[in-house]
Every structure is written in C-alpha cells, then in structure tokens.
Amino acid sequence: MITPLHRNILARHKSSLNGALRVLPFRSRALGVSRNVFVYEPPNMRNLSDMHLLYLFRGHEREFVYIDEDDSRSTTTIEDLDALISSGQIPPVMAVIPGLTSIDGKRHSMGINSLLPSADTRDGLGSGQFWDFLTLDLIPYVEARYQSKLSGGFRLAAGFSLGGYTTALIATAFPGYLDHAGIYDGLFMFDAQTDIRTNAPDEIWLKSAVPDAALGPAETRSPEALAPWNPAELVRYADPVTMEEIQETMFWIRSAAGDGLEGNHDRCKYFTALLREHGITAGFNRIPLHPDARHTWHWNDRFIKLFLLNVFTG
C-alpha cells in the first residue's frame, strides 16, 4: 500500500530529479504479502539501450529517499545518484530499493530467511523468508522486466549498517551475481561469532534484541545456527568453485571513524582483511571514510557517491 509518506517522497523527487522515482507494489510469493519497492529510473531511460543496476539496502525502503530520515542530510541518496548521472560523471544507473523491515521499521529481517514467521501479516514481514524474496522473487523479476536494457551493465549493491551485512550476504551466498559491492559501516559478523577484540561471544549478533525478528530470541541463538548466514564463514570455508564465483565481486568497504567496541570500524577492517586473505579484491585501502565520519545518512550518502565514482571512473 502506498502511504502518504510515499506520496510525499515521490512529490519531492518529481521536482528534484532529471530521472524518475517510482513505487512498485511488489507481490512476493516467498513472503505471501506485498512489499513496496522504490525504483529509480535514470534520465531518458526509454531511449537507453544499456544501463547498470544498483540495489540499495538498509531497512525500510524509504531510507535512501527520505530527506528527514535523520537531520544530517540536505539531499537524498537518489538525488545524489541522479546528479552524478545528469552531469555525466557516471553512466546511467537504475536503482532498486526494497524494504527489509516491518512496515513500522522496528523489526529487522536483514535479508535472511527468518527462523520465526511473523504472527501478524499486517506488519509486512509475512512468512519472513526474505532471502527467498530477494533471490527468488525480486532479483529475477527485475532481471526479466528490464532485460533488454541490462544486458551489458554491471550489477551493483550498496548497503549501510545492517544493509551492509545484507550486501555482503548477497555477494557471498548468491555468488557471482554482483560485480561490485559497496558497504558503509557494515555490521559484519565475526567467524564463529567470536569477537576477535575480546575473544568472547559477539554480543551484537548473539545477545542483542536487534535480530530478534530474524534469528529468534537471544537465548535460542548459537554460532552454528548463524553460520549459513555469516558472510565471514561463507568466505573462509567456501569450496574452490564457490570461491571463484565470490572472487568475481569487487568489494568497496569503508566505515565511520573508530568509536570503540560498539562501532563497526573493527568489523569492516576484519572483513576487508578476510577478503584479501582469500584473494578477493577490496577496492579501498583505508577503512574510515573520513576522520569525522559518523553513522549517519550524510556520511553514507558521501560513501555512495565515492563508491560509484570509483566503480565507473577508477
């Protein structure tokens, strides 16, 4: 269902874009419910013979296009993308922004097949099978619908925080699909859920309430149960064929400035080192985006611009 907020977002972007932002009410067989998906179409798309495809992941589908998601930004991610394309700094890119949380944004799926189905289908989580939603429903639909315009383009994904985790999961558990994966301040898992900084169980993934909707209550979680959804373990224990497929993706990872054990800097540093250990290309050598970088939409939007410029102009 398109809400007043969706309409306000569309109205803002109608006057600020050279391309077009649309809402796609997408019926998911895997979830058994409909999910709204924002789709950005680059300028003059009808006459384009080829373009690139970018998936954007966080939580609620509004976050990349809602100017008031926090008080740090003056433009939205899509307005920045449109400006890069319109100025000729990057080629045409279509963006697809699916929601991965409950409608109120409080219960997170993180893009995995949840262990516990939702008790109320009105929250938008449905069956909770979000991995199937992404890989069996949404991606095949987009590829089929825009097939004639995507034949020679890159497949990219970029994610912020939990969306960075989802991006890494697609690159490792759906290997060979993405050409480039951009991740800002990603909430990466450690191998076997052991925090390498403390040599203790990872409090975020094993004890926090954030993943409850997807992983169940903390008392039932175990490193073994999380292993199929752990990009670090998927890399470390990949068979040779799968490793070759993962190596087809170039990773671009940056973080907010270091802010102690509760931040994601060390997680980004850890995952980047793990990639290089296994011959997977990581495009950025320096992990913090900037000495003042924070876990805000302003800094994520700066990262997205940097990521795209590096992908397309080197």
Side-chain angles (χ1 to χ4, degrees):
M1 181 174 113
I2 297 178
T3 67
L5 178 59
H6 288 102
R7 293 190 183 95
N8 290 340
I9 288 170
L10 293 174
R12 172 191 170 89
H13 288 81
K14 185 174 182 179
S15 62
S16 66
L17 299 178
N18 292 300
L21 184 67
R22 311 186 189 282
V23 174
L24 172 67
F26 183 79
R27 177 71 182 181
S28 168
R29 292 183 180 180
L31 297 176
V33 297
S34 293
R35 297 288 309 197
N36 286 325
V37 178
F38 275 109
V39 176
Y40 164 78
E41 298 174 350
N44 199 33
M45 192 180 88
R46 180 176 298 179
N47 298 321
L48 293 175
S49 59
D50 206 6
M51 62 183 180
H52 304 274
L53 175 60
L54 169 67
Y55 290 91
L56 294 171
F57 297 115
R58 174 60 167 86
H60 200 287
E61 70 273 2
R62 69 165 189 265
E63 294 181 66
F64 287 93
V65 291
Y66 185 36
I67 192 66
D68 294 322
E69 192 59 36
D70 65 17
D71 60 3
S72 71
R73 65 193 338 182
S74 57
T75 57
T76 69
T77 312
I78 291 303
E79 288 170 333
D80 293 343
L81 171 61
D82 185 79
L84 289 174
I85 296 168
S86 299
S87 65
Q89 294 182 75
I90 66 172
V93 176
M94 185 181 83
V96 176
I97 315 173
L100 301 178
T101 71
S102 57
I103 290 172
D104 63 11
K106 295 180 179 179
R107 302 180 69 230
H108 303 280
S109 79
M110 303 174 297
I112 75 169
N113 282 343
S114 302
L115 297 180
L116 298 176
S118 175
D120 185 352
T121 57
R122 292 174 298 178
D123 69 3
L125 296 180
S127 69
Q129 304 301 287
F130 272 82
W131 180 251
D132 292 348
F133 160 67
L134 289 174
T135 61
L136 300 181
D137 289 349
L138 184 63
I139 289 175
Y141 173 83
V142 171
E143 291 289 343
R145 178 170 179 170
Y146 298 97
Q147 181 179 18
S148 63
K149 297 183 182 296
L150 294 172
S151 59
F154 288 152
R155 303 301 188 269
L156 307 97
F160 174 28
S161 190
L162 278 175
Y165 162 79
T166 303
T167 297
L169 187 64
I170 289 178
T172 54
F174 195 56
Y177 178 66
L178 295 178
D179 296 289
H180 295 272
I183 298 166
Y184 178 64
D185 224 30
L187 186 60
F188 292 107
M189 294 179 174
F190 292 111
D191 189 359
Q193 304 301 331
T194 300
D195 192 324
I196 61 170
R197 302 163 298 185
T198 62
N199 201 33
D202 188 344
E203 293 288 328
I204 296 294
W205 286 101
L206 292 176
K207 301 298 181 183
S208 169
V210 171
D212 278 358
L215 302 176
E219 57 267 21
T220 67
R221 291 182 219 151
S222 69
E224 294 75 22
L226 272 60
W229 306 109
N230 186 343
E233 294 187 58
L234 292 173
V235 168
R236 189 175 297 280
Y237 304 112
D239 61 71
V241 173
T242 302
M243 180 57 68
E244 287 185 6
E245 293 176 327
I246 296 174
Q247 289 170 339
E248 294 176 14
T249 301
M250 187 170 186
F251 287 76
W252 304 83
I253 300 173
R254 302 296 285 270
S255 75
D259 54 353
L261 294 183
E262 298 193 11
N264 293 328
H265 167 265
D266 292 338
R267 295 175 185 273
C268 292
K269 183 178 179 181
Y270 162 80
F271 193 70
T272 299
L274 180 67
L275 294 174
R276 289 182 170 142
E277 178 186 333
H278 289 84
I280 302 165
T281 305
F284 292 130
N285 291 319
R286 186 163 58 90
I287 299 302
L289 179 60
H290 185 278
D292 297 326
R294 294 293 178 263
H295 194 84
T296 67
W297 280 98
H298 165 78
W299 288 103
N300 176 73
D301 293 344
R302 285 184 59 170
F303 167 81
I304 296 287
K305 292 169 67 174
L306 180 67
F307 164 60
L308 293 171
L309 287 169
N310 273 272
V311 166
F312 291 113
T313 68

